[in-house]
């Protein structure tokens, strides 16, 4: 997975890059569910969502609950949880729980 870490040490270092990461996640979210986008890409993006929630913590959660981020993250997480791939479903469930904390 992406940026694994603990909110107590790596989050502040990643915060300046958060908006760029959110733009990338938005682009992936718009593509997930289409035939030309692999399940692996969607699973990786959802894993990054969970990693950001763990690493950046409340700063990420606050941003994730604001529009436009809230809408596309909701779609991305839902796509993962409803994937035919069990691994993607598991990552989607984990990321959803992590963002909700």
């Amino acid at each position: 997975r992406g940026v694994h870490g603990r909110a107590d040490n790596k989050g502040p270092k990643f915060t300046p890059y958060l908006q760029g990461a959110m733009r990338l996640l938005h682009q992936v979210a718009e593509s997930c569910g289409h035939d030309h986008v692999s399940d692996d890409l969607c699973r990786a993006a959802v894993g990054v969502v969970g990693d950001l929630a763990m690493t950046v913590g409340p700063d990420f959660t606050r941003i994730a609950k604001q529009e436009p981020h809230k809408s596309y993250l909701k779609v991305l997480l839902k796509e993962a949880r409803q994937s035919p791939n069990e691994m993607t479903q598991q990552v989607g469930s984990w990321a959803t729980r992590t963002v909700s904390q």
Side-chain angles (χ1 to χ4, degrees):
R1 293 198 186 127
V3 292
H4 276 300
R6 295 190 176 141
D8 61 342
N9 62 3
K10 293 185 182 177
K13 292 178 183 175
F14 192 78
T15 301
Y17 307 101
L18 193 54
Q19 289 301 323
M22 298 303 282
R23 282 192 298 275
L24 178 60
L25 289 169
H26 190 186
Q27 290 176 329
V28 173
E30 289 178 337
S31 300
C32 283
H34 295 81
D35 292 336
H36 67 281
V37 176
S38 74
D39 189 72
D40 293 339
L41 175 60
C42 292
R43 180 174 56 247
V46 169
V48 169
V49 171
D51 289 344
L52 287 170
M54 285 182 60
T55 303
V56 179
D59 287 341
F60 174 78
T61 304
R62 186 183 75 257
I63 291 169
K65 291 182 179 180
Q66 297 172 7
E67 292 299 342
H69 311 297
K70 180 179 179 179
S71 294
Y72 70 79
L73 290 174
K74 182 178 178 179
V75 168
L76 185 61
L77 293 168
K78 183 178 177 182
E79 284 286 334
R81 290 191 314 270
Q82 294 179 349
S83 169
N85 183 305
E86 187 176 339
M87 284 178 45
T88 303
Q89 291 172 11
Q90 291 173 356
V91 173
S93 295
W94 166 78
T96 300
R97 286 190 310 273
T98 304
V99 171
S100 297
Q101 293 178 352

XYZ file of all heavy atoms in Angstrom:
776
model
N 0.823 -1.192 0.000
C 0.000 0.000 0.000
C 0.856 1.239 0.000
O 2.054 1.176 0.167
C -0.914 -0.037 1.216
C -1.908 -1.157 1.077
C -3.065 -0.973 1.996
N -3.869 -2.154 1.893
C -4.255 -2.893 2.881
N -3.978 -2.554 4.102
N -4.962 -3.961 2.691
N 0.205 2.390 -0.077
C 0.862 3.656 -0.315
C 1.674 4.271 0.791
O 2.854 4.027 0.917
N 1.090 5.078 1.632
C 1.825 5.948 2.534
C 1.738 5.500 3.984
O 1.718 6.315 4.882
C 1.333 7.415 2.406
C 1.696 7.978 1.068
C -0.152 7.518 2.664
N 1.695 4.199 4.192
C 1.559 3.687 5.552
C 2.413 4.455 6.536
O 3.547 4.798 6.263
C 1.997 2.226 5.637
C 0.930 1.269 5.256
N -0.262 1.184 5.906
C 0.884 0.365 4.268
C -0.998 0.252 5.347
N -0.323 -0.252 4.338
N 1.881 4.650 7.679
C 2.605 5.348 8.730
C 1.700 5.596 9.894
O 0.606 5.074 9.969
N 2.165 6.408 10.774
C 1.374 6.759 11.935
C 1.144 8.251 11.910
O 2.032 9.027 11.567
C 2.104 6.351 13.203
C 2.242 4.852 13.257
C 2.738 4.424 14.600
N 2.748 2.972 14.612
C 3.668 2.247 15.172
N 4.661 2.816 15.800
N 3.594 0.947 15.143
N -0.056 8.619 12.327
C -0.422 10.030 12.301
C 0.524 10.882 13.147
O 0.699 12.063 12.890
C -1.856 10.202 12.784
N 1.171 10.278 14.132
C 2.016 11.061 15.028
C 3.352 11.469 14.420
O 4.006 12.363 14.931
C 2.250 10.306 16.334
C 2.955 8.976 16.137
O 2.965 8.461 15.011
O 3.479 8.448 17.130
N 3.767 10.861 13.300
C 5.068 11.261 12.781
C 5.107 11.577 11.285
O 5.868 12.422 10.865
C 6.140 10.233 13.132
C 5.867 8.872 12.522
O 4.917 8.683 11.787
N 6.696 7.913 12.857
N 4.317 10.920 10.476
C 4.414 11.134 9.031
C 3.338 12.048 8.474
O 3.511 12.614 7.417
C 4.377 9.796 8.305
C 5.593 8.947 8.574
C 5.580 7.697 7.755
C 6.799 6.861 8.105
N 6.804 5.608 7.402
N 2.239 12.181 9.164
C 1.132 12.992 8.677
C 1.513 14.412 8.328
O 1.237 14.884 7.218
N 2.167 15.130 9.240
C 2.520 16.521 8.936
C 3.447 16.651 7.722
O 3.366 17.632 6.983
C 3.214 17.007 10.207
C 2.654 16.145 11.285
C 2.437 14.798 10.637
N 4.286 15.666 7.501
C 5.194 15.718 6.358
C 4.443 15.554 5.038
O 4.873 16.048 4.008
C 6.263 14.639 6.476
C 7.235 14.891 7.616
C 8.243 13.785 7.715
C 9.166 14.004 8.904
N 10.087 12.903 9.098
N 3.326 14.829 5.070
C 2.573 14.567 3.848
C 1.504 15.622 3.574
O 1.073 15.796 2.441
C 1.919 13.181 3.906
C 1.374 12.751 2.584
C 2.219 12.271 1.604
C 0.027 12.855 2.299
C 1.727 11.896 0.364
C -0.478 12.491 1.066
C 0.380 12.004 0.097
N 1.105 16.354 4.579
C 0.013 17.321 4.453
C 0.173 18.281 3.268
O -0.808 18.544 2.563
C -0.197 18.080 5.774
O -0.495 17.108 6.793
C -1.331 19.070 5.685
N 1.374 18.811 2.969
C 1.491 19.719 1.814
C 1.135 19.065 0.475
O 0.831 19.762 -0.488
C 2.963 20.132 1.825
C 3.443 19.876 3.208
C 2.626 18.719 3.720
N 1.164 17.752 0.418
C 0.892 17.024 -0.826
C -0.532 16.497 -0.892
O -0.919 15.860 -1.868
C 1.883 15.868 -0.980
C 3.306 16.336 -0.868
C 4.023 16.163 0.317
C 3.925 17.007 -1.919
C 5.327 16.622 0.435
C 5.227 17.474 -1.804
C 5.916 17.275 -0.623
O 7.205 17.741 -0.508
N -1.304 16.759 0.133
C -2.641 16.196 0.236
C -3.558 16.632 -0.906
O -4.276 15.807 -1.468
C -3.251 16.562 1.594
C -4.501 15.831 2.010
C -4.307 14.322 1.949
C -4.894 16.231 3.423
N -3.540 17.899 -1.271
C -4.422 18.371 -2.352
C -4.079 17.692 -3.680
O -4.978 17.340 -4.444
C -4.370 19.894 -2.476
C -5.047 20.612 -1.329
C -6.516 20.259 -1.169
O -7.234 20.062 -2.146
N -6.967 20.179 0.068
N -2.801 17.498 -3.954
C -2.404 16.787 -5.175
C -2.879 15.346 -5.158
O -3.352 14.821 -6.176
N -2.759 14.697 -4.020
C -3.233 13.315 -3.881
C -4.746 13.248 -4.081
O -5.249 12.332 -4.736
C -2.849 12.754 -2.513
N -5.447 14.241 -3.568
C -6.905 14.255 -3.711
C -7.300 14.442 -5.183
O -8.254 13.820 -5.654
C -7.519 15.356 -2.845
C -7.267 15.185 -1.354
S -7.838 13.618 -0.677
C -9.579 13.944 -0.552
N -6.561 15.270 -5.915
C -6.838 15.443 -7.353
C -6.656 14.124 -8.103
O -7.460 13.761 -8.962
C -5.957 16.531 -7.954
C -6.435 17.947 -7.641
C -5.720 19.001 -8.474
N -4.275 19.029 -8.231
C -3.684 19.701 -7.251
N -4.407 20.409 -6.409
N -2.370 19.678 -7.111
N -5.588 13.411 -7.773
C -5.344 12.117 -8.418
C -6.456 11.124 -8.069
O -6.964 10.418 -8.947
C -3.983 11.568 -8.000
C -3.619 10.202 -8.558
C -3.584 10.228 -10.090
C -2.288 9.744 -8.006
N -6.840 11.060 -6.808
C -7.926 10.155 -6.401
C -9.224 10.517 -7.125
O -9.987 9.628 -7.507
C -8.118 10.207 -4.887
C -7.008 9.552 -4.073
C -7.159 9.883 -2.598
C -6.984 8.044 -4.298
N -9.462 11.797 -7.319
C -10.661 12.233 -8.032
C -10.646 11.703 -9.463
O -11.655 11.193 -9.964
C -10.744 13.754 -8.014
C -12.048 14.294 -8.514
N -12.270 15.624 -8.681
C -13.200 13.693 -8.895
C -13.498 15.821 -9.142
N -14.073 14.657 -9.280
N -9.504 11.799 -10.135
C -9.390 11.290 -11.505
C -9.631 9.785 -11.547
O -10.326 9.282 -12.439
C -8.020 11.621 -12.087
C -7.833 13.089 -12.360
C -6.431 13.406 -12.847
O -5.464 12.741 -12.487
N -6.323 14.441 -13.664
N -9.072 9.063 -10.609
C -9.267 7.610 -10.576
C -10.730 7.289 -10.289
O -11.319 6.400 -10.922
C -8.335 6.944 -9.533
C -8.657 5.462 -9.389
C -6.876 7.131 -9.943
N -11.331 8.003 -9.348
C -12.735 7.748 -8.996
C -13.648 7.931 -10.199
O -14.609 7.171 -10.372
C -13.163 8.675 -7.856
N -13.350 8.926 -11.025
C -14.173 9.152 -12.218
C -14.044 8.010 -13.219
O -14.939 7.792 -14.019
C -13.792 10.473 -12.878
C -14.228 11.682 -12.092
C -13.814 12.990 -12.734
O -12.840 13.008 -13.524
O -14.455 13.999 -12.438
N -12.945 7.276 -13.169
C -12.697 6.198 -14.122
C -13.136 4.833 -13.618
O -13.432 3.949 -14.426
C -11.209 6.138 -14.462
O -10.785 7.347 -15.024
N -13.126 4.629 -12.315
C -13.462 3.316 -11.764
C -14.886 2.937 -12.146
O -15.775 3.771 -12.188
C -13.299 3.303 -10.244
S -11.579 3.196 -9.759
N -15.053 1.659 -12.413
C -16.351 1.168 -12.838
C -16.495 1.112 -14.343
O -17.451 0.551 -14.852
N -15.548 1.692 -15.067
C -15.548 1.625 -16.525
C -14.688 0.439 -16.956
O -13.732 0.078 -16.287
C -14.998 2.926 -17.133
C -15.863 4.107 -16.850
N -15.831 4.786 -15.662
C -16.799 4.724 -17.616
C -16.701 5.776 -15.694
N -17.309 5.766 -16.865
N -15.028 -0.136 -18.079
C -14.337 -1.336 -18.549
C -12.842 -1.133 -18.769
O -12.063 -2.054 -18.605
C -14.973 -1.840 -19.852
C -16.374 -2.379 -19.628
O -16.683 -2.788 -18.490
O -17.158 -2.386 -20.593
N -12.433 0.067 -19.138
C -11.028 0.298 -19.473
C -10.139 0.496 -18.237
O -8.927 0.610 -18.364
C -10.899 1.495 -20.420
C -11.272 2.803 -19.787
N -12.584 3.184 -19.625
C -10.510 3.783 -19.268
C -12.609 4.366 -19.024
N -11.366 4.756 -18.800
N -10.720 0.516 -17.058
C -9.945 0.737 -15.830
C -9.896 -0.569 -15.044
O -10.924 -1.188 -14.783
C -10.578 1.857 -14.973
C -9.838 2.024 -13.663
C -10.571 3.154 -15.741
N -8.695 -0.965 -14.660
C -8.549 -2.237 -13.971
C -9.019 -2.147 -12.521
O -8.972 -1.089 -11.896
C -7.087 -2.690 -14.004
O -6.314 -1.918 -13.114
N -9.458 -3.275 -12.026
C -9.844 -3.386 -10.624
C -8.631 -3.109 -9.732
O -8.767 -2.540 -8.649
C -10.399 -4.798 -10.368
C -11.030 -4.929 -9.002
O -12.122 -4.372 -8.795
O -10.403 -5.569 -8.138
N -7.454 -3.483 -10.228
C -6.223 -3.245 -9.454
C -6.002 -1.760 -9.193
O -5.599 -1.369 -8.096
C -5.004 -3.806 -10.196
C -5.011 -5.315 -10.284
O -5.698 -5.971 -9.476
O -4.323 -5.843 -11.177
N -6.268 -0.925 -10.194
C -6.097 0.521 -10.024
C -7.077 1.061 -8.984
O -6.696 1.846 -8.105
C -6.285 1.255 -11.350
C -6.238 2.786 -11.280
C -4.893 3.276 -10.747
C -6.532 3.383 -12.644
N -8.316 0.633 -9.071
C -9.316 1.091 -8.098
C -8.961 0.619 -6.694
O -9.067 1.382 -5.728
C -10.700 0.615 -8.502
S -11.295 1.405 -10.012
N -8.518 -0.621 -6.575
C -8.116 -1.153 -5.258
C -6.936 -0.358 -4.702
O -6.914 0.005 -3.525
C -7.770 -2.641 -5.358
C -7.357 -3.239 -4.019
C -7.141 -4.756 -4.053
N -6.178 -5.163 -5.046
C -6.463 -5.878 -6.145
N -7.692 -6.256 -6.404
N -5.515 -6.211 -6.991
N -5.966 -0.058 -5.550
C -4.806 0.715 -5.097
C -5.228 2.115 -4.639
O -4.763 2.600 -3.602
C -3.771 0.806 -6.213
N -6.129 2.744 -5.385
C -6.596 4.085 -5.015
C -7.336 4.058 -3.685
O -7.132 4.925 -2.831
C -7.492 4.644 -6.114
N -8.162 3.055 -3.496
C -8.897 2.933 -2.232
C -7.919 2.653 -1.091
O -8.088 3.161 0.022
C -9.989 1.849 -2.354
C -10.592 1.511 -1.010
C -11.073 2.322 -3.308
N -6.879 1.880 -1.369
C -5.850 1.649 -0.355
C -5.161 2.942 0.046
O -4.883 3.179 1.225
N -4.929 3.818 -0.925
C -4.328 5.120 -0.634
C -5.278 5.948 0.234
O -4.844 6.627 1.163
C -3.956 5.869 -1.936
C -3.595 7.315 -1.650
C -2.803 5.160 -2.631
N -6.580 5.873 -0.035
C -7.555 6.592 0.794
C -7.429 6.144 2.251
O -7.341 6.971 3.166
C -8.998 6.386 0.274
C -10.015 6.941 1.266
C -9.174 7.022 -1.093
N -7.393 4.835 2.460
C -7.246 4.319 3.825
C -5.917 4.707 4.443
O -5.846 5.078 5.627
N -4.862 4.628 3.655
C -3.534 5.011 4.152
C -3.493 6.481 4.551
O -2.912 6.842 5.578
C -2.466 4.744 3.092
C -2.193 3.271 2.871
O -2.585 2.451 3.723
O -1.575 2.942 1.836
N -4.109 7.335 3.731
C -4.143 8.762 4.057
C -4.925 9.010 5.343
O -4.517 9.818 6.182
C -4.753 9.565 2.904
C -3.878 9.728 1.676
C -4.695 10.325 0.526
C -2.665 10.579 1.977
N -6.026 8.301 5.498
C -6.819 8.461 6.718
C -6.005 8.053 7.945
O -6.058 8.716 8.983
C -8.105 7.646 6.626
N -5.228 6.980 7.809
C -4.397 6.527 8.926
C -3.225 7.458 9.174
O -2.880 7.743 10.320
C -3.862 5.117 8.646
C -4.877 4.030 8.794
S -4.143 2.401 8.498
C -2.902 2.328 9.759
N -2.586 7.910 8.121
C -1.336 8.663 8.234
C -1.575 10.131 8.571
O -0.952 10.677 9.469
C -0.537 8.563 6.924
O -0.314 7.181 6.640
C 0.804 9.255 7.043
N -2.460 10.760 7.814
C -2.706 12.187 7.993
C -3.721 12.419 9.111
O -3.698 13.443 9.778
C -3.152 12.838 6.665
C -3.429 14.317 6.826
C -2.082 12.617 5.593
N -4.605 11.450 9.317
C -5.547 11.506 10.428
C -6.662 12.513 10.243
O -7.257 12.612 9.172
N -6.957 13.293 11.294
C -8.106 14.202 11.267
C -8.071 15.234 10.141
O -9.122 15.625 9.637
C -8.048 14.901 12.634
C -7.262 13.994 13.504
C -6.293 13.286 12.600
N -6.889 15.656 9.728
C -6.815 16.614 8.620
C -7.378 16.000 7.340
O -8.113 16.643 6.596
C -5.372 17.072 8.372
C -4.866 18.012 9.451
O -5.700 18.590 10.185
O -3.643 18.165 9.567
N -7.038 14.733 7.098
C -7.577 14.061 5.917
C -9.074 13.850 6.067
O -9.845 14.111 5.139
C -6.891 12.709 5.672
C -7.533 11.951 4.543
C -7.262 12.286 3.232
C -8.438 10.928 4.793
C -7.869 11.617 2.176
C -9.044 10.253 3.754
C -8.758 10.590 2.449
N -9.507 13.379 7.219
C -10.921 13.106 7.440
C -11.760 14.368 7.253
O -12.825 14.331 6.641
C -11.135 12.513 8.845
O -10.319 11.347 8.973
C -12.583 12.130 9.069
N -11.261 15.494 7.739
C -11.975 16.759 7.592
C -12.130 17.106 6.100
O -13.214 17.465 5.645
C -11.239 17.876 8.333
C -11.996 19.197 8.346
C -11.225 20.314 9.019
N -10.146 20.794 8.147
C -8.855 20.494 8.277
N -8.450 19.720 9.249
N -7.956 20.966 7.434
N -11.056 16.977 5.354
C -11.102 17.274 3.914
C -12.000 16.277 3.186
O -12.784 16.647 2.323
C -9.674 17.267 3.327
C -8.899 18.468 3.862
C -9.690 17.271 1.805
C -7.418 18.433 3.567
N -11.906 15.006 3.555
C -12.680 13.957 2.887
C -14.181 14.124 3.085
O -14.971 13.642 2.272
C -12.236 12.585 3.395
N -14.577 14.807 4.132
C -16.005 14.988 4.408
C -16.564 16.276 3.817
O -17.730 16.595 4.011
C -16.245 14.935 5.918
C -16.005 13.538 6.458
C -16.284 13.429 7.934
C -16.051 11.981 8.384
N -16.310 11.803 9.798
N -15.727 17.007 3.066
C -16.167 18.234 2.397
C -16.305 17.977 0.903
O -15.599 17.152 0.338
C -15.144 19.358 2.621
C -14.970 19.759 4.063
C -13.818 20.740 4.247
O -13.230 21.230 3.289
N -13.494 21.023 5.493
N -17.228 18.691 0.277
C -17.361 18.612 -1.172
C -16.210 19.370 -1.819
O -15.736 20.338 -1.251
C -18.710 19.199 -1.612
C -19.908 18.381 -1.174
C -19.942 16.967 -1.735
O -19.249 16.676 -2.730
O -20.649 16.140 -1.174
N -15.749 18.944 -2.956
C -16.240 17.863 -3.805
C -15.698 16.497 -3.409
O -16.116 15.477 -3.936
C -15.714 18.248 -5.186
C -14.386 18.881 -4.889
C -14.599 19.628 -3.583
N -14.766 16.463 -2.463
C -14.106 15.210 -2.102
C -15.082 14.155 -1.594
O -14.964 12.971 -1.928
C -13.007 15.457 -1.075
C -12.084 16.569 -1.453
N -11.285 16.528 -2.577
C -11.854 17.775 -0.879
C -10.591 17.650 -2.676
N -10.917 18.431 -1.654
N -16.037 14.575 -0.794
C -16.988 13.644 -0.204
C -17.692 12.803 -1.273
O -17.802 11.582 -1.142
C -18.010 14.424 0.629
C -19.050 13.575 1.286
C -20.008 14.456 2.103
C -21.075 13.614 2.758
N -21.985 14.465 3.566
N -18.131 13.448 -2.342
C -18.891 12.744 -3.386
C -18.054 11.709 -4.114
O -18.463 10.558 -4.274
C -19.467 13.745 -4.391
O -20.421 14.558 -3.767
N -16.887 12.100 -4.579
C -16.108 11.137 -5.371
C -15.488 10.057 -4.501
O -15.336 8.913 -4.941
C -15.086 11.810 -6.288
C -13.905 12.472 -5.631
C -12.821 11.727 -5.186
C -13.853 13.848 -5.492
C -11.725 12.346 -4.597
C -12.765 14.466 -4.926
C -11.707 13.713 -4.476
O -10.619 14.316 -3.910
N -15.135 10.372 -3.262
C -14.616 9.324 -2.378
C -15.702 8.316 -2.043
O -15.440 7.109 -1.970
C -14.024 9.931 -1.100
C -12.717 10.696 -1.296
C -12.300 11.374 0.006
C -11.606 9.794 -1.821
N -16.917 8.798 -1.880
C -18.047 7.895 -1.619
C -18.220 6.919 -2.780
O -18.384 5.715 -2.578
C -19.322 8.714 -1.399
C -20.534 7.892 -1.081
C -21.738 8.798 -0.825
C -22.972 7.978 -0.547
N -24.144 8.831 -0.274
N -18.151 7.441 -4.005
C -18.282 6.591 -5.198
C -17.125 5.596 -5.267
O -17.334 4.401 -5.514
C -18.336 7.458 -6.484
C -18.188 6.608 -7.738
C -19.620 8.262 -6.520
N -15.917 6.062 -5.044
C -14.735 5.206 -5.122
C -14.810 4.079 -4.093
O -14.581 2.904 -4.414
C -13.476 6.046 -4.904
C -12.137 5.346 -5.061
C -11.961 4.803 -6.473
C -11.006 6.316 -4.733
N -15.149 4.412 -2.869
C -15.245 3.399 -1.813
C -16.370 2.412 -2.095
O -16.220 1.201 -1.883
C -15.434 4.072 -0.449
C -14.235 4.881 0.038
C -14.611 5.748 1.235
C -13.062 3.970 0.383
N -17.481 2.900 -2.608
C -18.614 2.018 -2.948
C -18.233 1.061 -4.069
O -18.547 -0.129 -4.006
C -19.830 2.852 -3.341
C -21.056 2.029 -3.646
C -22.234 2.911 -3.991
C -23.439 2.069 -4.356
N -24.581 2.915 -4.732
N -17.573 1.586 -5.101
C -17.128 0.730 -6.213
C -16.246 -0.409 -5.689
O -16.374 -1.550 -6.117
C -16.348 1.545 -7.250
C -17.198 2.403 -8.132
C -17.966 1.612 -9.184
O -17.535 0.514 -9.582
O -19.009 2.115 -9.621
N -15.354 -0.087 -4.776
C -14.453 -1.103 -4.230
C -15.225 -2.143 -3.423
O -15.002 -3.348 -3.575
C -13.384 -0.448 -3.370
N -16.126 -1.692 -2.582
C -16.882 -2.636 -1.741
C -17.777 -3.546 -2.572
O -18.083 -4.661 -2.164
C -17.714 -1.882 -0.704
C -16.897 -1.224 0.383
C -17.760 -0.715 1.535
N -18.929 0.008 1.110
C -19.000 1.323 0.895
N -17.917 2.070 1.065
N -20.120 1.897 0.518
N -18.198 -3.076 -3.741
C -19.088 -3.854 -4.600
C -18.349 -4.578 -5.731
O -18.975 -5.175 -6.600
C -20.175 -2.956 -5.179
C -21.108 -2.419 -4.115
C -22.179 -1.497 -4.677
O -22.137 -1.083 -5.832
N -23.149 -1.169 -3.844
N -17.043 -4.543 -5.693
C -16.238 -5.192 -6.719
C -16.461 -6.703 -6.699
O -16.692 -7.294 -5.644
C -14.755 -4.893 -6.457
O -13.941 -5.698 -7.274
N -16.341 -7.359 -7.855
C -16.401 -8.814 -7.873
C -15.138 -9.450 -7.266
O -15.130 -10.630 -6.927
C -16.531 -9.171 -9.356
C -16.075 -7.964 -10.097
C -16.281 -6.789 -9.194
N -14.081 -8.652 -7.099
C -12.815 -9.137 -6.562
C -12.842 -9.031 -5.032
O -13.007 -7.942 -4.479
C -11.667 -8.296 -7.138
C -10.310 -8.783 -6.694
O -10.034 -8.910 -5.512
N -9.449 -9.031 -7.664
N -12.663 -10.162 -4.369
C -12.740 -10.186 -2.906
C -11.677 -9.307 -2.247
O -11.946 -8.644 -1.232
C -12.613 -11.629 -2.392
C -12.850 -11.738 -0.901
C -12.821 -13.180 -0.401
O -13.015 -14.105 -1.200
O -12.583 -13.350 0.811
N -10.477 -9.281 -2.807
C -9.426 -8.429 -2.239
C -9.821 -6.955 -2.297
O -9.598 -6.207 -1.341
C -8.101 -8.642 -2.975
C -7.400 -9.930 -2.605
S -5.855 -10.211 -3.536
C -5.040 -8.648 -3.473
N -10.410 -6.545 -3.402
C -10.844 -5.160 -3.545
C -11.964 -4.861 -2.559
O -11.990 -3.787 -1.949
C -11.285 -4.873 -4.993
O -10.196 -5.191 -5.863
C -11.688 -3.426 -5.188
N -12.873 -5.804 -2.369
C -13.944 -5.631 -1.386
C -13.366 -5.423 0.017
O -13.821 -4.551 0.770
C -14.858 -6.855 -1.366
C -15.690 -7.042 -2.595
C -16.431 -8.372 -2.579
O -16.486 -9.066 -1.556
N -17.001 -8.738 -3.708
N -12.367 -6.228 0.363
C -11.753 -6.125 1.688
C -11.059 -4.776 1.887
O -11.203 -4.144 2.937
C -10.764 -7.267 1.907
C -11.421 -8.608 2.045
C -10.416 -9.748 2.102
O -9.218 -9.552 1.968
N -10.926 -10.961 2.279
N -10.308 -4.336 0.878
C -9.629 -3.042 0.973
C -10.672 -1.922 1.053
O -10.518 -0.978 1.833
C -8.658 -2.825 -0.210
C -8.083 -1.421 -0.199
C -7.534 -3.850 -0.170
N -11.743 -2.041 0.281
C -12.809 -1.042 0.317
C -13.478 -0.954 1.677
O -13.738 0.142 2.182
N -13.731 -2.097 2.288
C -14.339 -2.109 3.626
C -13.401 -1.509 4.656
O -13.807 -0.716 5.511
C -14.720 -3.532 4.022
O -15.730 -4.016 3.168
N -12.120 -1.892 4.586
C -11.125 -1.354 5.514
C -11.006 0.159 5.367
O -11.015 0.902 6.356
C -9.770 -2.032 5.275
C -8.647 -1.316 5.942
C -8.315 -1.350 7.269
C -7.711 -0.420 5.322
N -7.240 -0.539 7.505
C -6.853 0.049 6.332
C -7.529 0.032 4.025
C -5.820 0.941 6.072
C -6.512 0.922 3.764
C -5.657 1.362 4.787
N -10.900 0.642 4.132
C -10.737 2.078 3.899
C -11.969 2.847 4.373
O -11.852 3.919 4.973
C -10.470 2.352 2.415
N -13.135 2.283 4.136
C -14.378 2.938 4.586
C -14.390 3.071 6.110
O -14.697 4.134 6.638
C -15.605 2.150 4.098
O -15.586 2.103 2.671
C -16.891 2.793 4.573
N -14.019 2.004 6.804
C -13.962 2.048 8.266
C -12.912 3.052 8.737
O -13.142 3.809 9.685
C -13.623 0.664 8.849
C -14.750 -0.331 8.796
C -14.438 -1.583 9.603
N -13.136 -2.175 9.308
C -12.891 -3.061 8.347
N -13.863 -3.455 7.569
N -11.672 -3.534 8.166
N -11.773 3.077 8.077
C -10.679 3.957 8.483
C -11.060 5.424 8.302
O -10.792 6.248 9.175
C -9.415 3.622 7.668
O -9.112 2.240 7.846
C -8.229 4.437 8.137
N -11.700 5.747 7.199
C -12.121 7.138 6.949
C -13.221 7.541 7.926
O -13.279 8.691 8.351
C -12.586 7.311 5.485
C -13.232 8.661 5.269
C -11.412 7.122 4.539
N -14.058 6.595 8.314
C -15.195 6.899 9.204
C -14.774 7.123 10.663
O -15.550 7.648 11.443
C -16.212 5.766 9.153
O -16.725 5.658 7.847
N -13.574 6.723 11.019
C -13.141 6.835 12.420
C -12.890 8.255 12.822
O -12.546 9.113 12.108
C -11.877 6.024 12.654
C -12.129 4.553 12.525
C -10.846 3.730 12.712
O -9.748 4.237 12.788
N -11.028 2.427 12.792
